[in-house]
Amino acid sequence: MRGARRTTGVRTVSPQHEAPRSFGDRTDLRADCAACFGLCCVALPFARSADFAADKAAGRPCSNLRQDFRCGIHERLRDEGYPGCTVFDCFGAGQKVSQVTFGGTDWRRAPESARSMVEVFPVMRQLHELLHYVTEALGLAAARPVHEELRKARARIDGLTRGSAESITGLDANALRGEVNPLLLRASELARARVPGRRKNHRGADLIGAKLSGADLRGASLRGALLVAADLGGADLREADLIGADLRDADLRGADLTGALFLTQAQLNAARGDAATALPPALSRPAHW
């Protein structure tokens, strides 16, 4: 670790992590595995399935986790039967727990902290996911009428992420999400209102395997929609609200996702696309496409 640390019992605080970043900076909301103690490979459980080649209980390190907290099969995850790992995104929660909540003290050097880290990580991930959505909403010019409330929400959530392990595990993340969601919904409505014509509403719809090739879904609400294995090839998804949509194995080849609202890298990683799929500038084309 770079820089001196002040030690306060088990928890240490790194000066470079004390101050929250500006609202427009998303650096802290991107996973930095080099600054994390492999928490997603320890805290989260998985079962033998098409997504994972073996069973693993919550709190038990994955057999592929190396001593340096890196994945031993990272470049071969799909080939080795672990595609589920390639679609996970902690939104920067891993490094926040590792470097801020526990101040750079890892669970191997301080085994007494392991259980607490395992409990904090899933809550922190939910907080960081909310921060991601709120930050994106703040970048929508059309959502300016709710920017002040969004800024307050972001400051509050950011403050919660910087609390003690005990305060974080004691949070009701679902209740907090319920408080913030109306702001995100309003931001979405304001942004999509600029799309001409009638906008489709498929919020929460069961569209598993749906044939939507070439569909005009510009400005549509697909919040929480089940789009597993749906055919969205060549579909127009510009400015569509995709928050919480399940895109596992969805065909996005040739689809236009320019300006799609609240689309995450994890959603793209879970889907299928190609070089013709148009993406928002903040997201990357998955390597397996």
Side-chain angles (χ1 to χ4, degrees), residues 5-289:
R5 294 196 296 266
R6 298 197 301 272
T7 303
T8 55
V10 174
R11 182 174 185 267
T12 57
V13 181
S14 301
Q16 66 266 37
H17 291 289
E18 289 178 351
R21 296 178 183 270
S22 66
F23 287 142
D25 192 337
R26 299 193 192 187
T27 304
D28 286 350
L29 303 179
R30 298 188 182 97
D32 181 0
C33 297
C36 177
F37 302 139
L39 296 183
C40 63
C41 305
V42 179
L44 306 179
F46 52 73
R48 184 188 296 270
S49 63
D51 292 321
F52 300 100
D55 297 321
K56 190 191 83 65
R60 178 164 63 86
C62 175
S63 60
N64 297 307
L65 185 65
R66 303 186 318 202
Q67 287 298 308
D68 62 358
F69 304 112
R70 300 298 183 94
C71 175
I73 61 170
H74 180 72
E75 302 301 325
R76 310 188 311 278
L77 282 168
R78 288 182 173 271
D79 294 336
E80 296 286 341
Y82 289 87
C85 295
T86 68
V87 303
F88 179 77
D89 186 357
C90 75
F91 297 98
Q95 67 258 29
K96 177 68 74 64
V97 174
S98 299
Q99 305 302 333
V100 178
T101 313
F102 290 90
T105 302
D106 69 68
W107 49 271
R108 285 197 173 112
R109 286 188 295 157
E112 69 277 8
S113 70
R115 180 175 178 178
S116 184
M117 279 194 196
V118 167
E119 293 174 344
V120 169
F121 177 69
V123 181
M124 185 70 82
R125 185 195 176 278
Q126 292 187 67
L127 295 177
H128 267 238
E129 184 179 12
L130 270 180
L131 282 175
H132 172 83
Y133 292 139
V134 171
T135 301
E136 179 170 336
L138 281 166
L140 299 174
R144 192 173 302 279
V146 290
H147 277 187
E148 183 60 32
E149 291 177 89
L150 286 166
R151 280 191 288 268
K152 290 178 181 177
R154 195 187 191 289
R156 179 189 173 196
I157 300 167
D158 183 77
L160 292 173
T161 70
R162 297 172 189 280
S164 66
E166 293 76 16
S167 68
I168 293 170
T169 54
L171 288 172
D172 186 339
N174 288 329
L176 181 61
R177 187 182 295 272
E179 295 173 18
V180 175
N181 190 56
L183 294 177
L184 299 177
L185 181 59
R186 180 58 178 152
S188 169
E189 291 172 343
L190 289 167
R192 291 184 298 113
R194 294 188 172 187
V195 177
R198 186 175 181 179
R199 296 173 297 281
K200 295 180 175 65
N201 183 7
H202 294 302
R203 183 177 181 180
D206 183 348
L207 296 171
I208 296 176
K211 305 301 181 184
L212 297 168
S213 177
D216 180 6
L217 294 169
R218 186 177 183 187
S221 175
L222 291 162
R223 294 170 65 91
L226 298 177
L227 289 159
V228 179
D231 181 1
L232 291 162
D236 187 351
L237 290 158
R238 289 177 294 169
E239 289 87 36
D241 186 342
L242 290 164
I243 194 168
D246 192 339
L247 292 171
R248 284 177 296 167
D249 205 33
D251 186 352
L252 296 175
R253 289 175 295 180
D256 190 347
L257 291 153
T258 307
L261 305 176
F262 306 119
L263 177 66
T264 67
Q265 189 65 50
Q267 286 172 304
L268 286 180
N269 292 347
R272 294 180 292 122
D274 60 13
T277 306
L279 304 177
L283 300 177
S284 303
R285 196 173 308 279
H288 64 279
W289 283 15

